[in-house]
Amino acid sequence: MARPRQALLTRQRIIDAAAALIDAEGLDALSTRRLATELGVRGPSLYNHFANKDEILDAVADAITSKVDVSFFATHDWRDALRLWGRSYRQALVTHANIVPYLAQGPGRRPAALAMADAVYGGLVKAGWPPARATHIGALMRYFVAGSALGSFARGFVEDPQLYAAHYPHLSQAHRLAEHQQSVDEGAFALGLDALIAGLEQTYERVVGSLP
Amino acid sequence: MARPRQALLTRQRIIDAAAALIDAEGLDALSTRRLATELGVRGPSLYNHFANKDEILDAVADAITSKVDVSFFATHDWRDALRLWGRSYRQALVTHANIVPYLAQGPGRRPAALAMADAVYGGLVKAGWPPARATHIGALMRYFVAGSALGSFARGFVEDPQLYAAHYPHLSQAHRLAEHQQSVDEGAFALGLDALIAGLEQTYERVVGSLP
DNA sequence: GTCTATACCTGGATAGAC
DNA sequence: GTCTATCCAGGTATAGAC
């Protein structure tokens, strides 16, 4: 099996397999050898499609970001657009939570991330937000979404009541958090998103609403 | 130099050196060999003080979290407490941004993290927030702070105007972001924190203010 | 309590055959 | 375009001398 008639690998197959591997076992599980094995191939073959491992990771990150829906800024009020975009953004990251640290720290060179920033910024400015504020809003939404995808709050807790009751008076029910992990995270995200938009609305009225 | 009269290492020295190394060169730079070298010692010596590498990382994470000031919940109005705690929390993480991915994903077994959660939850409940909401608020604040420390929004951009102007119509000034990275991040955090608290205030009036 | 020595594994990447 | 073979660096951790 030196050179198969039909290529065994494509960039897309590699990206998909890498994403699946990271989702299942974490960022550290992604090695070129391991990824190749998943694809029924040997390590070095990957280098026919990507120059190095970082290029693979960047491609995965870009694919995930490209799933975020930013179309709302063209069709909706900025408040609704922010809310709908925020949900779509979180959804995209939560389903690939293990890659969030890489994705959030990565450089602003990935096309999908730039397209997203462009749409958000453009939409906010068009709605009347001053450019500096629009930048801040794009950034703070990113903080909130990335943070919520990164660290499930509840995942941290352990299902052992004894561990908390003794030393942390207010956390006596904390072990229950482990049971309701997902609903706690979703509730916290929903509450935060509502609060953020309501708070920004006040700023908007003060800053933009007072103009002619 | 087999057995020195005075121990060369202490847990505290190891923790400090590990934090400094991570701050300077990132999480991946922390290996037992490298850390030992920084301490003027050989790799295996560390195992006299910690069972394994994860224990070292947990100790670093705990040390950082313990620097967060949660005393405000005992002395201030919940709004002010939230704001002051948020700033202190962000400050602690931003100065050790490289460890945020580990810290945010880690388990809820670290004493400092539990003490913090306990103080926040207790303070909010005492202020009249229903327990479920108090949990959500603690979580959403964590999302926002961790997200803001994790990924500097502006750091991602590159100081090359050409890169953006061509394809992203609204980002023509994006290269300027790289110059003002810190002020963008601080401005975005401040705006988001204000908006969050203002938004929560509305919820508070609706949920708590209407009670007897 | 730190050392040396070492076992053992995994990693990313390249060269050259087919 | 995938293979084999190989390099080299680095990782965690243990055993036993001093």
Side-chain angles (χ1 to χ4, degrees), chain A residues 33 188 190:
Chain A
R33 291 206 239 252

Side-chain angles (χ1 to χ4, degrees), chain A residues 42-186:
Chain A
R42 303 302 179 128
S45 302
L46 299 172
Y47 290 90
N48 287 306
H49 302 267
F50 292 92
N52 51 50
K53 185 183 168 180
D54 262 7
E55 265 196 13
I56 300 176
L57 269 168
D58 277 334
V60 173
D62 202 61
I64 291 168
T65 308
S66 73
K67 296 237 172 92
V68 180
D69 190 346
V70 288
S71 68
F72 311 112
F73 287 95
T75 55
H76 288 62
D77 177 81
W78 70 266
R79 300 154 194 85
D80 293 334
L82 225 43
R83 175 173 284 106
L84 293 165
W85 167 57
R87 287 189 196 144
S88 170
Y89 192 4
R90 176 172 190 267
Q91 188 55 43
L93 297 202
V94 159
T95 52
H96 304 282
N98 288 335
I99 208 185
V100 170
Y102 184 86
L103 196 145
Q105 291 182 342
R109 265 159 261 193
R110 296 192 281 258
L114 288 171
M116 183 170 84
D118 191 63
V120 172
Y121 178 82
L124 292 172
V125 167
K126 198 177 123 211
W129 281 100
R133 299 276 186 171
T135 300
H136 287 166
I137 293 172
L140 70 88
M141 287 288 292
R142 182 179 128 149
Y143 300 157
F144 184 58
V145 169
S148 98
L150 174 68
S152 159
F153 177 77
R155 181 169 52 189
F157 292 92
V158 184
E159 297 184 37
D160 177 5
Q162 306 294 349
L163 199 56
Y164 305 108
H167 296 297
Y168 308 99
H170 305 301
L171 294 182
S172 58
Q173 302 299 312
H175 63 283
R176 298 220 176 144
L177 292 176
E179 301 167 19
H180 306 107
Q181 172 185 323
Q182 197 179 345
S183 82
V184 169
D185 283 321
E186 285 171 3

Side-chain angles (χ1 to χ4, degrees), chain B residues 21-39:
Chain B
L21 182 54
I22 293 169
D23 291 345
E25 304 186 32
L27 260 183
D28 290 342
L30 185 80
S31 71
T32 55
R33 287 207 243 251
R34 178 70 197 280
L35 175 57
T37 301
E38 298 286 332
L39 287 160

Side-chain angles (χ1 to χ4, degrees), chain B:
Chain B
M1 192 223 274
R3 176 193 271 251
R5 312 209 162 149
Q6 172 110 27
L8 298 177
L9 298 176
T10 62
R11 284 178 65 97
Q12 193 57 50
R13 275 198 73 217
I14 295 172
I15 292 169
D16 292 343
L21 182 54
I22 293 169
D23 291 345
E25 304 186 32
L27 260 183
D28 290 342
L30 185 80
S31 71
T32 55
R33 287 207 243 251
R34 178 70 197 280
L35 175 57
T37 301
E38 298 286 332
L39 287 160
V41 130
R42 304 302 179 122
S45 301
L46 299 173
Y47 291 90
N48 287 307
H49 303 266
F50 291 93
N52 52 48
K53 185 183 166 179
D54 262 6
E55 263 196 14
I56 300 176
L57 268 168
D58 276 335
V60 173
D62 202 62
I64 291 169
T65 307
S66 72
K67 295 238 172 92
V68 180
D69 190 344
V70 288
S71 68
F72 310 112
F73 287 94
T75 55
H76 288 62
D77 176 81
W78 69 266
R79 301 153 193 85
D80 292 333
L82 225 43
R83 175 172 283 108
L84 292 166
W85 167 57
R87 286 189 197 144
S88 170
Y89 193 3
R90 176 172 191 267
Q91 187 55 43
L93 297 202
V94 159
T95 53
H96 304 282
N98 288 334
I99 208 185
V100 170
Y102 184 86
L103 195 145
Q105 291 183 342
R109 264 158 264 193
R110 295 193 280 258
L114 288 170
M116 183 170 82
D118 191 63
V120 172
Y121 179 82
L124 291 171
V125 168
K126 199 177 123 214
W129 281 99
R133 300 277 185 170
T135 300
H136 288 166
I137 294 172
L140 70 88
M141 286 287 292
R142 182 180 127 147
Y143 301 157
F144 184 58
V145 169
S148 99
L150 174 68
S152 159
F153 176 76
R155 181 168 54 187
F157 292 92
V158 184
E159 297 184 37
D160 177 4
Q162 307 293 348
L163 198 57
Y164 306 108
H167 298 296
Y168 308 99
H170 305 301
L171 293 183
S172 59
Q173 302 299 311
H175 64 284
R176 298 222 176 140
L177 292 176
E179 301 167 20
H180 306 106
Q181 173 184 323
Q182 195 178 348
S183 81
V184 169
D185 283 320
E186 286 171 4
F189 180 77
L191 179 61
L193 186 59
D194 283 347
L196 272 176
I197 293 172
L200 289 174
E201 170 66 21
Q202 291 183 11
T203 304
Y204 185 79
E205 284 166 14
R206 192 158 35 78
V207 172
V208 184
S210 63
L211 297 182

